[in-house]
Amino acid sequence: MHSTGPYPRFVAYVIDSVYVGRFRQGTVTDTVAMPIIVPESDIAFIDVRKGAAGERWSGCAGVPAILITTKSRQWRQPAS
Protein backbone atom coordinates (compact mmCIF):
# COMPACT_ATOMS: atom_id res chain seq x y z
CA MET A 1 0.00 0.00 0.00
CA HIS A 2 1.22 3.52 -0.75
CA SER A 3 0.63 6.91 0.80
CA THR A 4 -2.13 9.06 -0.71
CA GLY A 5 -0.65 12.54 -0.48
CA PRO A 6 -1.12 15.44 -0.49
CA TYR A 7 1.38 15.77 -3.31
CA PRO A 8 2.37 18.88 -5.25
CA ARG A 9 0.68 19.08 -8.63
CA PHE A 10 3.71 20.42 -10.44
CA VAL A 11 7.45 19.98 -10.32
CA ALA A 12 10.14 22.26 -11.79
CA TYR A 13 13.03 20.81 -13.78
CA VAL A 14 16.46 22.45 -13.88
CA ILE A 15 19.25 20.92 -15.97
CA ASP A 16 22.81 22.19 -15.58
CA SER A 17 21.45 25.40 -13.98
CA VAL A 18 19.11 25.98 -16.96
CA TYR A 19 15.46 26.31 -15.92
CA VAL A 20 13.47 23.97 -18.18
CA GLY A 21 9.99 24.62 -16.82
CA ARG A 22 7.21 23.39 -14.54
CA PHE A 23 5.47 20.18 -15.49
CA ARG A 24 2.42 18.40 -14.10
CA GLN A 25 3.38 15.44 -11.96
CA GLY A 26 1.92 12.09 -12.82
CA THR A 27 1.02 9.30 -10.51
CA VAL A 28 2.86 6.01 -10.35
CA THR A 29 0.55 4.58 -13.03
CA ASP A 30 0.76 7.62 -15.35
CA THR A 31 3.33 8.12 -18.08
CA VAL A 32 6.07 10.67 -17.51
CA ALA A 33 4.73 14.21 -17.99
CA MET A 34 8.07 15.61 -19.16
CA PRO A 35 9.61 14.20 -22.33
CA ILE A 36 13.01 12.60 -21.84
CA ILE A 37 15.41 15.30 -23.01
CA VAL A 38 18.59 14.09 -21.33
CA PRO A 39 19.94 10.67 -22.24
CA GLU A 40 20.20 8.51 -19.14
CA SER A 41 23.87 7.83 -19.96
CA ASP A 42 24.64 11.58 -19.65
CA ILE A 43 23.09 12.06 -16.18
CA ALA A 44 25.71 12.52 -13.48
CA PHE A 45 23.48 13.50 -10.54
CA ILE A 46 19.83 14.14 -9.67
CA ASP A 47 18.80 16.17 -6.63
CA VAL A 48 15.22 16.77 -5.46
CA ARG A 49 14.70 20.06 -3.61
CA LYS A 50 11.55 20.65 -1.55
CA GLY A 51 10.33 23.50 0.58
CA ALA A 52 12.24 26.78 0.44
CA ALA A 53 15.13 25.15 -1.46
CA GLY A 54 12.73 23.98 -4.20
CA GLU A 55 10.91 27.29 -4.35
CA ARG A 56 14.21 29.02 -5.02
CA TRP A 57 14.42 27.16 -8.34
CA SER A 58 10.72 26.82 -9.20
CA GLY A 59 9.65 30.35 -8.34
CA CYS A 60 6.40 29.13 -6.77
CA ALA A 61 5.53 28.24 -3.20
CA GLY A 62 5.10 24.52 -2.69
CA VAL A 63 6.56 23.50 -6.05
CA PRO A 64 9.56 21.18 -5.64
CA ALA A 65 12.49 21.27 -8.07
CA ILE A 66 14.40 18.42 -9.65
CA LEU A 67 17.97 19.49 -10.37
CA ILE A 68 19.75 17.36 -12.95
CA THR A 69 23.48 17.63 -13.53
CA THR A 70 24.87 16.12 -16.71
CA LYS A 71 28.34 14.67 -17.11
CA SER A 72 29.24 17.38 -19.63
CA ARG A 73 27.61 20.14 -17.51
CA GLN A 74 26.80 21.98 -20.75
CA TRP A 75 23.18 20.99 -21.48
CA ARG A 76 21.15 23.53 -23.43
CA GLN A 77 17.48 23.32 -24.33
CA PRO A 78 16.96 22.03 -27.89
CA ALA A 79 15.73 24.58 -30.41
CA SER A 80 11.98 24.36 -31.01
Side-chain angles (χ1 to χ4, degrees), residues 12-21 57-58 65-69 75:
Y13 283 86
V14 178
I15 304 173
D16 290 338
S17 298
V18 176
Y19 178 79
V20 178
W57 285 100
S58 70
I66 296 177
L67 309 179
I68 300 172
T69 303
W75 182 89

Side-chain angles (χ1 to χ4, degrees), residues 16-67:
D16 290 338
S17 298
V18 176
Y19 178 79
V20 178
R22 282 190 299 270
F23 297 88
R24 180 177 291 281
Q25 288 197 107
T27 64
V28 176
T29 57
D30 288 343
T31 56
V32 176
M34 182 181 134
I36 303 300
I37 54 176
V38 177
E40 186 177 339
S41 60
D42 192 31
I43 294 175
F45 186 75
I46 298 174
D47 186 22
V48 178
R49 301 280 176 99
K50 296 180 180 180
E55 292 168 13
R56 179 176 176 196
W57 285 100
S58 70
C60 292
V63 176
I66 296 177
L67 309 179

